[in-house]
Amino acid sequence: MAQATAQIGVTGLGVMGRNLARNFARHGYAVALHNRTTARTTAVVDQFGDEGTFVPAETAEEFVQSLERPRRLVVMVNAGDATDAVIDEFAPLLEEGDMIIDGGNAHFHDTRRREAKLKEHGLHFVGMGVSGGEEGALNGPSIMPGGSPESYQSLGPMLETISAHVDGTPCCTHIGPDGAGHFVKMVHNGIEYADMQLIAEAYDLLRHGAGLEPAQIAETFRTWNTGRLDSYLIEITADVLAHTDASTGQPFVDIVLDQAEQKGTGRWTVQDALDLGVPVSGIAEAVFARSLSGHADLRRAARGLPGRHGRVEDVSEFADQVEQALYASKLVSYAQGWHMMAVGGREYDWNLDLGQIATIWRGGCIIRAVFLDRIRAAYENNAELPTLLTDEDFSKDLADAQEAWRTVIATATQIGIPVPGFSAALAYYDALRAERLPAALIQGLRDFFGAHTYRRTDRDGSFHTLWAAEGRAEETR
């Protein structure tokens, strides 16, 4: 029998699992290690054993026996069937009050299913979103755990210790019950998709609209990173654009195939937003832009289509306008993500703290940015804020960016540069502020061909017009 000496265990020692285990060990926790192939377990101990206390185990039974109660077992394997297989292997070995923590990118519906199933056996299941990549996992990620309040009482202090910290505040909090943690992580990744697409469009405008070279654009992004756009993604964009390919001497960005890949969390965000009836057009356009980039044959076939080409004359002024358009569009994308979390929180009875989510995203995660502190402040000032765009400070920012934002999109259209992210953001903004939308006509058309009924502005109820008999009165249904 193995002696129960480990305070937490990690099974699945790929890059993320290994680094998370090392992070726990560096902070003084004894960490049990397990992997399907024992060679990985041995490698972690051999390479990083001096970083803290590791308790290697060859079998599932030995791994479980080495954990102090209540047992905290972190699963770091691929989402889907692999996660279910690990849960099925370990759950029978655990006792009431023990917990299984899924740190992968699981879909939150799967997390809800697993949590309900394990609860029947007296086990806690924690769907834990982890953002920050392999560096974050090692040095301090943003952590979004769901699950029961009881599980967080035992697990939370450990997670808060290993998370990133900003101004002394841990980038970790209890998000809510069952799948709340993985839901919020999914939306985080959706916002990340939109953020990256907007940055790519800004680069494209400066490269092909203003004629700047990658190294010059890198300096522009470095300048932007000293202001309101200060963020991890802007910082690394400058680094990528400044990088030169060693084998060719060409700018790195010019030798990379222009076909963006995706692992699915952005697509999940759009799919679940549709189910919730929440418009996340910025995230959707980012997903579709990646999809379009991958259709190489289609793009080659269409390359000879007629269109416009051109350059702007005042490069400096245009670069400033692009910065304003990027900021305004970024704000809209974040607003859409927060709206989705608000609706999802109500739909699934999670009572999400939207300001606290902004707080834990200030460090460790991929979308960490200075202006997240302003989002936190906006929700502290008004927890019932209908959209970030109506916050007084953000509304003023958008008013100041109006002319430049519209000019950039118009210019891009005139010179044939696609800006789906910028355009979708402005269309969403204009739709929100419109007194009336053309949806009234859509309802009329639906009633005409399908008798789907409509509602009126002057009285309650649902109505249908007998279109085949012109002039007949509406009928209430």
Side-chain angles (χ1 to χ4, degrees), residues 228 327-328 330-332 334-335 338 358 370-379 385 387-402 405 429:
R228 60 186 179 176
Y327 176 78
K330 177 187 177 83
L331 179 53
V332 168
Y334 278 62
W338 255 264
V370 166
F371 94 142
L372 280 161
D373 202 48
R374 296 177 60 196
I375 295 179
R376 175 199 57 77
Y379 281 104
L385 195 66
T387 170
L388 282 172
L389 306 184
T390 58
D391 172 73
E392 184 177 354
D393 289 341
F394 286 134
S395 179
K396 183 179 183 303
D397 286 348
L398 291 167
D400 292 342
Q402 285 287 303
W405 195 8
Y429 175 80

Side-chain angles (χ1 to χ4, degrees), residues 102-166:
D102 177 13
N105 268 335
H107 194 286
F108 75 95
H109 283 306
D110 287 337
T111 302
R112 300 189 82 201
R113 168 180 58 81
R114 291 163 180 154
E115 195 268 347
K117 179 181 178 181
L118 291 177
K119 185 184 292 185
E120 295 176 355
H121 301 282
L123 301 177
H124 296 285
F125 185 74
V126 176
M128 180 179 73
V130 181
S131 180
E134 57 185 273
E135 180 183 350
L138 179 62
N139 297 315
S142 176
I143 308 178
M144 295 148 265
S148 66
E150 294 80 12
S151 66
Y152 194 78
Q153 287 178 2
S154 172
L155 178 66
M158 300 177 71
L159 298 181
E160 290 176 12
T161 298
I162 70 161
S163 73
H165 286 66
V166 176

Side-chain angles (χ1 to χ4, degrees), residues 138-278:
L138 179 62
N139 297 315
S142 176
I143 308 178
M144 295 148 265
S148 66
E150 294 80 12
S151 66
Y152 194 78
Q153 287 178 2
S154 172
L155 178 66
M158 300 177 71
L159 298 181
E160 290 176 12
T161 298
I162 70 161
S163 73
H165 286 66
V166 176
D167 299 329
T169 301
C171 294
C172 173
T173 191
H174 182 228
I175 300 297
D178 54 77
H182 276 146
F183 175 85
V184 167
K185 174 56 163 56
M186 177 189 73
V187 176
H188 165 282
N189 285 21
I191 296 172
E192 177 188 312
Y193 272 56
D195 214 343
M196 294 172 69
Q197 176 63 27
L198 294 170
I199 288 171
E201 290 178 19
Y203 155 75
D204 202 18
L205 288 164
L206 295 177
R207 182 78 188 274
H208 299 108
L212 298 178
E213 292 299 316
Q216 294 173 297
I217 303 172
E219 290 306 312
T220 298
F221 272 86
R222 287 199 176 100
T223 300
W224 289 353
N225 201 47
T226 63
R228 60 186 179 176
L229 285 173
D230 182 354
S231 65
Y232 173 70
L233 283 173
I234 295 291
E235 176 187 343
I236 66 172
T237 297
D239 291 342
V240 171
L241 290 174
H243 185 60
T244 299
D245 177 57
S247 61
T248 65
Q250 298 296 311
F252 172 78
V253 73
D254 286 348
I255 58 92
V256 176
L257 192 65
D258 62 339
Q259 298 177 25
E261 299 179 0
Q262 51 186 310
K263 290 190 174 180
T265 47
R267 183 171 62 251
W268 287 351
T269 306
V270 177
Q271 291 168 337
D272 284 298
L274 289 171
D275 290 339
L276 290 169
V278 179

Side-chain angles (χ1 to χ4, degrees), residues 223 299 307 347:
T223 300
R299 292 169 56 203
E347 174 70 18

